Amino acid sequence: MIIRLVMLAELVAIAAALVMPENLRSWVFVAFVLATASMIVAIFPPAAALGLARLLRPGLVVVLATPAFLMALQAVPMPIGTLGNPIWATASTALNEPLAEIITVDTGATMFSLAQYCAVLAAALVTAVITLDRIRAAQVLHLLLSLTTIATALWFTKETTGAAGPDGSTLVVLGVLVSAATAIRAVDQLRRHRRPGTIASAPLPALFAAIITMIVCVAALLIRANLAAVVAALLGSGLLLSVFAIRRWFLGLWGTAGVLAAAMIIFIATLTVIPLRTNTDPTIALSTSSQTATERMLQDVGPAGSGAGASTVLLPIYRDAGVSASRERPTAAAAIVIDMGWVFLCGVLICAVLGAGVLIWRSLSRAHDYIYPALGAAASIALMILAFADHGVLGLGASLSAAVLFGLAFGQSGPGAGRDALSLEAKEAPDRAADPVAASYPKFASALVTAWPRVTLMVLGITLIMQALWMVFPEWYLGGQSSSKIGSTATAWPNGISKPASIAAAREDLWIRGGSKPGANSASSADEQETTAPPVPSNTLTRALRSSPLRGDIWLMLAAASKPSSPQPGTAAMLKMSYYTAPNDLDLLPLRVSVALATDAVVREPEFRDLIKRDVNLVVTHRPALRPALVSAYRSASADGKTYLESLISEQDPSYLDQVRARNFRQGSR
């Protein structure tokens, strides 16, 4: 009963991740559900859990824990100055306070990435424990079949309406692989069912369901997905069929070698079908969408990366002015390089290839249920190709689905691990009854063997609980008077992803990012309203910058908080940071131009004059909807600011300068 509840909890978590948008509520819900599942399995392990100790070796635990350790290391101060990102030294100068140099440019984004990795790891390990039993493994496979069918249908519907998420093609490919594996397993059951003296569950319903899923996924793949996804699905399915052929017709060393050699030739030949982008970074060579900003980020990436999750934070800075961030998403491989560095990506690829090889070998060495490890190997090959084509592999729903699939393959990869554990316990039971004193040592040794996998699951569960509380803590803290102050920011500042860095900074940063993005029409009302900064305490904004110094909107809020008549010494530095950390954010442009033109000292500086000229030229020539904001900026500008703004407008559109003066005169006479 408990195991069924855990399976249901995992299904609910994945379904929520697929259906709900990736916001704070979905993250907290998924973390709580998977944390509960991990702790339940650790406290009440199933009867076959003894076999997990034979699969989850200490070396594998170290490999799985390494990414989490590196993510955590990116968020701590670096003793060597060359490893820290230069943005922290620049922010320290602008804030006039010491800031420790760290690798990541956004500690909150790194902590959220760490939380996602822990959730994925928990889903994989819990599934591995459950699927040590072959009956539970079949149930999980059928649940994955149903889940991928529904997810593919939903993705196809959203793709038709233009509202599809980034992980749709990944789910479609996984659906093709799961349906192929289910069909092969059903065919094997039919063959065994014909033999006298064998007992097998009726495979026909599973076969029909697999055929339906295959039709749905292939249709969605051919109609909506890109060529790389089609090739990934073909190669993964081909690997499954190769294992099936070896098992059925080509038993023996030479037969296995021949089939694998033919599969390798087909694999290389199929890769040549995918159109590669030449003269570009290898991580985006398979992408069919524009990757201009991604190429710029890859050119500036350091050996240790910019911090897990930093690609999302850096993308608005590197993209062209006026281009929506949703129109470009770095591929999963490019995002890993930007976040963690080239060495980390190479390590991931090596582990994926070695893992696929081990799963193929274990699949060929099993007497029955060989399709599970073969499915894991096929998914490894397919996901590696997709990682260089799009971003969907890193999506929350897609990553959790892949984690359950790999947990299934991992749990069934050993030669009868669960059954061996059960038979061992059955053999030891009469001995313990006959000689309880002599049985104390085997019992103690067995407890030691099974203790550390349970400890691993318990640690994962506690970690996820703490991360979920850390994410939801700002809501509790800001539920009172603080939320009303920061809530005023929601109507004036762009939307962002909540990425707090620590509990202290998270209380403000989460909610400062939680506002709704104003539309382009909001700029048209600037003709009648004065552009002012929202009343947010400066210490609140400063704490947010200590976790994310690339927040151009917060730098601008701090610069706007000072009065033009008596500007603070760091106002110019904060305004400059706003220009450099959010150069292409059009929502900040009205207030930024107004603040820059309101102070004579800023207007007289050559560097600021070039920055102001860029914004004004962008408004006059490319964004007519923002032109009314220049009227407000002209009205609040200083004497030098008005003169400079008039010269800039006259260079671009002299006729509009007369309109600016006329509107300023009419509003001033009211």
Side-chain angles (χ1 to χ4, degrees), residues 591-635:
L591 179 59
R592 190 161 59 194
V593 172
S594 178
V595 173
L597 293 175
T599 306
D600 288 336
V602 172
V603 177
R604 293 167 186 166
E605 188 174 337
E607 185 177 3
F608 273 113
R609 292 176 71 89
D610 293 337
L611 295 173
I612 296 171
K613 181 179 180 180
R614 177 183 178 274
D615 282 354
V616 173
N617 291 344
L618 184 63
V619 171
V620 175
T621 58
H622 299 289
R623 290 294 179 268
L626 295 177
R627 283 190 173 192
L630 295 180
V631 179
S632 298
Y634 182 82
R635 186 168 62 252

Side-chain angles (χ1 to χ4, degrees), residues 394-472:
L394 299 180
L396 181 59
S399 60
L400 289 177
S401 301
V404 172
L405 189 150
F406 285 119
L408 171 63
F410 179 73
Q412 282 290 311
S413 63
R419 294 183 294 278
D420 291 345
L422 290 176
S423 61
L424 179 62
E425 292 179 355
K427 292 179 180 179
E428 290 179 353
D431 297 336
R432 289 196 299 266
D435 191 1
V437 177
S440 60
Y441 176 75
K443 184 177 180 180
F444 178 73
S446 177
L448 288 180
V449 170
T450 58
W452 66 270
R454 295 173 62 181
V455 170
T456 302
L457 288 170
M458 182 65 71
V459 170
L460 264 180
I462 295 174
T463 303
L464 281 173
I465 287 288
M466 294 177 62
Q467 289 171 338
L469 292 176
W470 168 79
M471 286 185 281
V472 79

Side-chain angles (χ1 to χ4, degrees), residues 26 340 344 486 496 521 580 588:
S26 63
M340 308 296 294
F344 185 85
I486 301 179
N521 295 333
Y580 290 143
L588 303 182

